[in-house]
């Protein structure tokens, strides 16, 4: 990695800071999170986003709620309310609920809420970093095999949305094998889907690949199929917000169409995930994963830098046109070549997942 940095960190007075991802790549703004409500809002308005980072922010949100409860001499009802608000901040990424459950479990057995919540949130952050590093270790051979087949030619990888370090704490999930391949001197080129409506690909993935010196090209979301038909994509790797027991994957809207095009063209389609994204309580992703619906104005307007160099938004449809804005879709497991996890690569089905995570039997 070129310049390692984290997406969430603690301050000397034990508050939290994050990068305002709504302003990237044009402005690098650091935002303080000083109350649990700050954490709720940062998740809701997508100052922070990406499944693992949402989980980490929620964990620190619980710590801040504990701190506020003690400082303001509130009772346990205040803490319950904080858990509920954090739980309701976004519906699809299961890391949010996983992190909140971890925090609740830790507090239940504790006689020092402040210390316990601080330590558990820190542990969630540290574990995510190590998990993502390992995803890179296990994902790297997939890239190496393709490079060998191409006589060490350029490996063209297509990705959707941002499952990079900005969506996690460090390394990222899909970017971890890419960064590790790049560090080994392999020739990598990434096709970056812009990822409308919020453009996480254009704004965030392109930003971090630029920072790491990884060659990449921005494409509109509908270009992937054409590229695959012409042999210009060797591998697709995407992230996930929730992965079911049978290997169905919810990820940013449009992922499913990439998987269909990959299947039709014989392009390997991998999903990189920390096990914190597994939801082993459900099986059928289409029926059981709640899909977030966001404000229609995210579709009606495009945000960018104007000719005066200021962040601005422009309307791209008639004033009266309505829009519908589903944030995620589900890719059925049959379209997925494999899951890249911190314990290895497995088939996208229950047997595959249980072979790596027997504790879910
Ligand atoms: O709406 P977002 O930006 O939170 O959606 C993010 C994604 O869909 C990512 O691909 C996913 O969270 C994986 S992040 C490692």
């Amino acid at each position: 990695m070129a310049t390692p940095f984290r997406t969430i960190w603690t301050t000397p007075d034990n508050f939290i800071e994050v990068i305002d991802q709504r302003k990237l790549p044009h402005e690098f703004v650091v935002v303080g999170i000083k109350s649990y409500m700050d954490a709720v809002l940062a998740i809701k308005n997508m100052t922070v986003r990406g499944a693992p980072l949402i989980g980490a922010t929620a964990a620190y949100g619980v710590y801040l709620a504990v701190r506020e409860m003690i400082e303001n001499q509130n009772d346990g009802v205040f803490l319950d309310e904080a858990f509920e608000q954090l739980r309701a901040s976004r519906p699809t990424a299961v890391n949010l609920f996983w992190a909140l459950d971890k925090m609740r479990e830790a507090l239940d057995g504790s006689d020092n809420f402040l210390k316990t919540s601080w330590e558990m949130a820190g542990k969630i952050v540290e574990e995510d970093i190590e998990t993502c590093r390992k995803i890179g270790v296990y994902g790297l051979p997939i890239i190496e095999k393709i490079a060998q087949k191409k006589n060490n030619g350029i490996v063209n990888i297509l990705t959707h949305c941002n499952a990079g370090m900005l969506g996690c704490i460090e390394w990222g999930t899909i970017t971890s094998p890419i960064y590790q391949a790049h560090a080994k001197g392999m020739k990598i080129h990434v096709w970056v889907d812009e990822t409308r409506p919020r453009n996480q690909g254009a704004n965030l993935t392109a930003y971090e690949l630029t920072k790491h010196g990884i060659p990449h090209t921005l494409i509109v979301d509908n270009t992937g199929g054409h590229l695959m038909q012409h042999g210009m994509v060797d591998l697709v790797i995407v992230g996930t917000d929730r992965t079911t027991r049978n290997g169905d994957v919810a990820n940013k809207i449009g992922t499913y169409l990439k998987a269909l095009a990959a299947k039709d063209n014989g392009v390997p389609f991998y999903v990189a995930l920390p096990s914190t994204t597994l939801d082993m309580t459900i099986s059928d992703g289409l029926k059981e994963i709640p899909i977030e619906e966001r404000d229609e104005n995210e579709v009606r307007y495009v945000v960018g830098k104007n000719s005066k160099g200021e962040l601005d938004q422009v309307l791209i449809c008639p004033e009266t046109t309505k829009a519908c804005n589903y944030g995620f879709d589900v890719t059925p497991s049959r379209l997925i070549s494999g899951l890249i996890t911190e314990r290895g690569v497995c088939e996208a089905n229950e047997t595959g997942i249980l072979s790596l995570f027997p504790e879910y039997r």
Side-chain angles (χ1 to χ4, degrees):
M1 278 196 320
T3 335
F5 67 90
R6 290 184 176 189
T7 53
I8 187 165
W9 59 91
T10 56
T11 62
D13 51 356
N14 289 8
F15 285 112
I16 312 306
E17 286 182 345
V18 296
I19 304 161
D20 188 345
Q21 300 199 13
R22 300 167 306 172
K23 303 225 160 67
L24 290 174
H26 310 294
E27 294 168 17
F28 189 94
V29 176
V30 170
V31 180
I33 309 266
K34 297 198 162 197
S35 65
Y36 90 79
M37 209 24 119
D38 285 351
V40 170
L41 292 177
I43 297 170
K44 269 194 179 160
N45 68 24
M46 292 177 68
T47 300
V48 294
R49 30 67 52 202
L53 182 56
I54 291 170
T57 308
Y60 274 116
V62 171
Y63 154 74
L64 290 166
V66 167
R67 185 168 165 168
E68 290 171 80
M69 180 179 78
I70 294 168
E71 283 173 3
N72 302 328
Q73 297 181 351
N74 291 315
D75 57 15
V77 177
F78 177 84
L79 193 55
D80 291 346
E81 170 68 14
F83 267 99
E84 252 173 57
Q85 295 268 4
L86 286 161
R87 202 166 265 279
S89 57
R90 284 193 79 184
T92 303
V94 78
N95 304 57
L96 172 66
F97 312 111
W98 171 86
L100 290 173
D101 289 347
K102 285 286 266 193
M103 295 300 286
R104 176 62 88 184
E105 222 175 86
L107 289 177
D108 279 350
S110 166
D111 54 8
N112 186 339
F113 274 25
L114 197 63
K115 185 169 179 285
T116 300
S117 56
W118 174 259
E119 285 176 358
M120 181 51 85
K123 192 165 175 246
I124 286 172
V125 161
E126 294 306 325
E127 281 181 4
D128 186 70
I129 294 168
E130 180 55 10
T131 295
C132 285
R133 189 191 67 75
K134 284 187 184 151
I135 288 171
V137 169
Y138 290 114
L140 181 61
I142 296 171
I143 301 177
E144 281 174 333
K145 256 189 213 147
I146 295 170
Q148 273 159 19
K149 262 199 203 154
K150 292 185 85 178
N151 291 322
N152 296 324
I154 299 173
V155 179
N156 289 295
I157 301 172
L158 184 142
T159 192
H160 191 67
C161 195
N162 174 263
M165 64 196 307
L166 287 165
C168 306
I169 318 294
E170 256 188 48
W171 292 103
T173 58
I174 74 105
T175 45
S176 185
I178 292 174
Y179 293 154
Q180 296 188 34
H182 180 70
K184 283 186 83 176
M186 293 173 62
K187 293 181 211 129
I188 307 286
H189 166 259
V190 183
W191 295 109
V192 178
D193 279 354
E194 63 177 347
T195 319
R196 279 280 289 145
R198 290 186 70 104
N199 290 320
Q200 289 96 327
N203 294 339
L204 305 176
T205 303
Y207 172 81
E208 61 172 276
L209 292 177
T210 301
K211 287 260 169 217
H212 282 82
I214 312 267
H216 61 280
T217 307
L218 180 65
I219 50 176
V220 298
D221 292 327
N222 293 324
T223 305
H226 170 79
L227 296 177
M228 291 185 216
Q229 285 173 323
H230 290 273
M232 295 161 80
V233 180
D234 299 303
L235 170 67
V236 180
I237 319 182
V238 296
T240 166
D241 287 78
R242 200 186 286 226
T243 305
T244 68
R245 197 172 186 91
N246 67 3
D248 293 344
V249 160
N251 192 49
K252 183 52 56 193
I253 192 83
T255 302
Y256 168 55
L257 293 178
K258 296 298 162 311
L260 280 177
K263 187 76 168 179
D264 194 41
N265 291 284
V267 174
F269 183 99
Y270 282 89
V271 179
L273 64 139
S275 58
T276 50
T277 307
L278 291 172
D279 183 350
M280 298 298 274
T281 65
I282 59 172
S283 290
D284 186 329
L286 273 178
K287 289 198 184 127
E288 296 177 275
I289 299 179
I291 299 295
E292 176 176 31
E293 285 183 64
R294 296 188 61 87
D295 193 314
E296 63 168 351
N297 283 336
E298 292 184 350
V299 179
R300 289 165 25 88
Y301 290 84
V302 169
V303 178
K305 200 176 184 181
N306 67 19
S307 56
K308 290 183 203 134
E310 299 155 345
L311 273 186
D312 209 349
Q313 57 172 29
V314 289
L315 182 66
I316 58 162
C317 60
E319 290 279 359
T320 52
T321 295
K322 298 266 166 235
C324 119
N325 188 7
Y326 289 104
F328 299 90
D329 60 23
V330 172
T331 299
S333 56
R334 65 186 153 79
L335 300 177
I336 299 169
S337 311
L339 305 175
I340 310 170
T341 78
E342 73 270 26
R343 292 202 196 153
V345 180
C346 68
E347 285 184 6
N349 56 40
E350 185 173 10
T351 313
I353 295 170
L354 291 179
S355 71
L356 296 181
F357 299 94
E359 62 269 38
Y360 288 118
R361 265 179 220 285

